[in-house]
């Protein structure tokens, strides 16, 4: 049996690709690759402000969160029919399966689409059908989390929740995303309280561009169970102690943080510091089509740049299951699979495959 602490670093890329993992911070609209964007634009007769894939990719030079969101919302306009939502999710899920993601909790932004006249049912059924097919055909367990756009009003969020309630069995929770600065958690206190009453899981983006106080408020006012990004929590020592003490997970997205200039470079990222302090850090891709990598790229580049050990890679993957909204029984099964993968790792056979 292999000791998890003793796996040489040259074998980590093989191990990272092979290990079972959960992805907990992925915006499905952010998985829309340029080729699929153009395909859907043609199918739906939509004119894009970019003449081809190359032009579009050239627009992926972001200076901050808002500069990304402007492109992201423009590209989401190609999604019109239920089948478009299915195709987008299926494309992500096949990729996730190939990267040994066994469980994904997928964000979707209904307001981006309902504002353009797309029916809530078309969005939810398209995504949900892809999740069901992924379970049956790819062996990937995928669940949906409905996100409210924080640059819009709480009334709009409340109306969105009402529209979604007839489809309650198709999503496990709610989140909060879009422009963070100037849109603090308390703006959504009432809608999150209502979501709690419906037994929905709650998460929120906080401390990506916003201050550490947004992380505290997301916990105190929105009663979230997980923080998305959360990297600015590091500026508040008491909050850091709380994250550790209460074992509140954060879903870190290193490549996203570099692309959106939350950190000037990957080697300046604070995830190892957080990990060493005992925070339940998970690694995720956020918007992989826009930020230059899916989940394994996030692991691979982080491990290489920040010189993570085999133990730290193991802990990140273990945290992804611990932080997920799955049953205790299912979590135990995946944790055992993960341990088995590390303890029985044989580089000679693995690297040939
Ligand atoms: N932050 C906020 N909103 C988002 C993001 C993000 O990283 N990606 C998609 N919507
Ligand atoms: Zn995000």
């Amino acid at each position: 049996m292999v000791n998890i602490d003793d796996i040489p670093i040259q074998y980590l890329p093989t191990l990272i690709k092979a290990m079972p993992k959960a992805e907990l911070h992925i915006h499905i609209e952010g998985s829309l690759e340029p080729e699929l964007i153009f395909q859907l634009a043609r199918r739906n007769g939509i004119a894009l402000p970019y003449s081809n894939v190359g032009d579009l990719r050239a627009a992926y030079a972001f200076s901050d969160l808002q500069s990304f969101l402007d492109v992201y919302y423009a590209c989401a306009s190609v999604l019109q029919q239920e089948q478009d939502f299915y195709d987008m999710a299926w494309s992500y899920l096949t990729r996730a399966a190939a990267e040994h993601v066994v469980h994904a909790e997928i964000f979707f932004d209904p307001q981006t689409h309902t504002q353009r006249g797309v029916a809530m049912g078309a969005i939810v059924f398209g995504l949900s059908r892809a999740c069901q097919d992924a379970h049956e055909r790819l062996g990937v367990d995928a669940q949906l989390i409905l996100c409210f756009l924080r640059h819009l009003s709480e009334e709009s969020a409340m109306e969105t929740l009402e529209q979604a309630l007839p489809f309650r069995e198709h999503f496990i929770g709610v989140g909060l995303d879009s422009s963070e600065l100037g849109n603090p958690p308390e703006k959504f206190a009432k809608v999150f309280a209502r979501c709690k009453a419906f037994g929905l899981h709650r998460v929120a983006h906080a401390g990506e561009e916003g201050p550490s106080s947004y992380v505290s408020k997301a916990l105190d006012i929105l009663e979230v169970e997980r923080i998305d990004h959360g990297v600015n929590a590091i500026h508040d020592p008491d909050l850091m102690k709380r994250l550790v003490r209460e074992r509140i997970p954060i879903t870190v997205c290193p490549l996203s943080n570099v692309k959106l200039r939350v950190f000037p470079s990957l080697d300046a990222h604070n995830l190892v510091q957080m990990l060493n302090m005992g925070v339940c850090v998970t690694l995720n891709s956020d918007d992989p089509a826009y930020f230059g990598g899916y989940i394994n790229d996030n692991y691979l580049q982080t491990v290489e740049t920040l010189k993570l050990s085999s133990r730290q890679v193991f802990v990140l993957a273990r945290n992804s299951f611990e932080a997920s909204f799955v049953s205790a029984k299912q979590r135990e099964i995946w944790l055992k699979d993960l341990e088995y993968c590390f303890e029985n790792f044989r580089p000679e056979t693995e690297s040939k495959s």
Side-chain angles (χ1 to χ4, degrees):
M1 199 150 79
V2 177
N3 182 336
I4 292 173
D5 297 304
D6 290 344
I7 301 172
I9 51 167
Q10 70 264 32
Y11 298 134
L12 289 184
T14 311
L15 194 51
I16 285 166
K17 290 176 203 157
M19 69 184 183
K21 56 189 80 72
E23 176 147 61
L24 307 177
H25 186 160
I26 158 79
H27 300 263
I28 201 63
E29 293 89 349
S31 74
L32 210 44
E33 291 286 349
E35 291 75 13
L36 186 54
I37 291 172
F38 276 91
Q39 195 184 319
L40 295 178
R42 271 195 303 277
R43 183 153 104 188
N44 292 320
I46 304 234
L48 285 167
Y50 312 95
S51 47
N52 54 47
V53 166
D55 264 14
L56 176 54
R57 278 200 200 276
Y60 293 1
F62 310 117
S63 52
D64 56 12
L65 175 57
Q66 193 58 51
S67 65
F68 154 69
L69 290 171
D70 293 343
V71 179
Y72 166 85
Y73 293 131
C75 291
S77 69
V78 300
L79 297 157
Q80 300 277 335
Q81 316 289 332
E82 181 181 322
Q83 189 61 36
D84 305 338
F85 291 90
Y86 178 94
D87 292 346
M88 169 173 66
W90 182 252
S91 169
Y92 164 71
L93 288 162
T94 49
R95 181 73 187 247
E99 301 205 357
H100 286 145
V101 170
V102 294
H103 175 73
E105 295 179 7
I106 300 175
F107 295 146
F108 69 110
D109 290 339
Q111 286 155 296
T112 306
H113 317 296
T114 53
Q115 275 191 332
R116 297 181 285 107
V118 180
M120 180 67 83
I123 304 166
V124 175
F125 285 139
L127 298 176
S128 183
R129 194 157 51 82
C131 292
Q132 280 168 29
D133 284 354
H135 192 245
E136 286 160 25
R137 294 164 52 190
L138 304 171
V140 176
D141 179 54
Q143 305 292 335
L144 297 171
I145 295 181
L146 181 160
C147 285
F148 302 117
L149 299 183
R150 69 202 302 159
H151 68 274
L152 300 178
S153 67
E154 186 178 46
E155 290 68 43
S156 173
M158 201 64 99
E159 198 184 311
T160 302
L161 176 62
E162 295 308 324
Q163 290 167 353
L165 283 175
F167 312 104
R168 168 70 185 83
E169 74 268 30
H170 295 279
F171 56 101
I172 59 165
V174 294
L176 188 62
D177 63 5
S178 191
S179 323
E180 186 181 7
L181 282 169
N183 296 297
E186 62 266 32
K187 182 175 163 186
F188 297 93
K190 290 195 209 76
V191 72
F192 268 67
R194 190 157 161 75
C195 291
K196 185 184 178 187
F198 281 109
L200 286 159
H201 286 294
R202 294 162 315 282
V203 298
H205 283 54
E208 179 187 17
E209 284 189 343
S212 59
S213 62
Y214 281 23
V215 175
S216 303
K217 287 189 207 166
L219 294 169
D220 293 334
I221 301 172
L222 306 184
E223 297 187 67
V224 299
E225 297 150 88
R226 237 168 30 209
I227 296 287
D228 295 311
H229 292 299
V231 290
N232 282 337
I234 202 116
H235 304 299
D236 177 346
D238 288 335
L239 172 60
M240 289 302 288
K241 283 188 205 131
R242 178 182 183 185
L243 295 180
V244 173
R245 190 176 61 245
E246 298 180 18
R247 199 107 189 108
I248 298 156
I250 60 171
T251 61
V252 173
C253 307
L255 294 184
S256 161
N257 291 158
V258 174
K259 272 278 183 192
L260 301 187
R261 307 204 189 164
V262 173
F263 292 94
S265 60
L266 193 50
D267 54 12
H269 204 287
N270 65 12
L271 76 95
V272 176
Q273 213 181 330
M274 297 251 206
L275 205 54
N276 289 342
M277 289 169 94
V279 178
C280 182
V281 176
T282 68
L283 274 202
N284 308 272
S285 69
D286 206 7
D287 299 282
Y290 292 91
F291 299 151
Y294 285 74
I295 189 163
N296 284 353
D297 287 319
N298 275 271
Y299 272 96
L300 292 167
Q301 291 191 39
T302 300
V303 163
E304 186 176 322
T305 305
L306 298 176
K307 310 280 176 239
L308 298 194
S309 66
S310 53
R311 171 63 61 178
Q312 286 172 316
V313 172
F314 177 78
V315 168
L316 287 168
R318 192 181 65 193
N319 289 348
S320 76
F321 294 117
E322 182 187 333
S324 69
F325 297 133
V326 297
S327 69
K329 193 169 156 220
Q330 181 60 70
R331 181 178 295 117
E332 275 314 304
I333 293 171
W334 283 326
L335 288 174
K336 282 215 166 63
D337 290 347
L338 177 65
E339 261 179 40
Y340 183 90
C341 176
F342 272 70
E343 290 178 347
N344 295 279
F345 179 67
R346 283 195 304 275
E348 302 77 24
T349 45
E350 303 268 353
S351 49
K352 285 198 199 99
S353 60

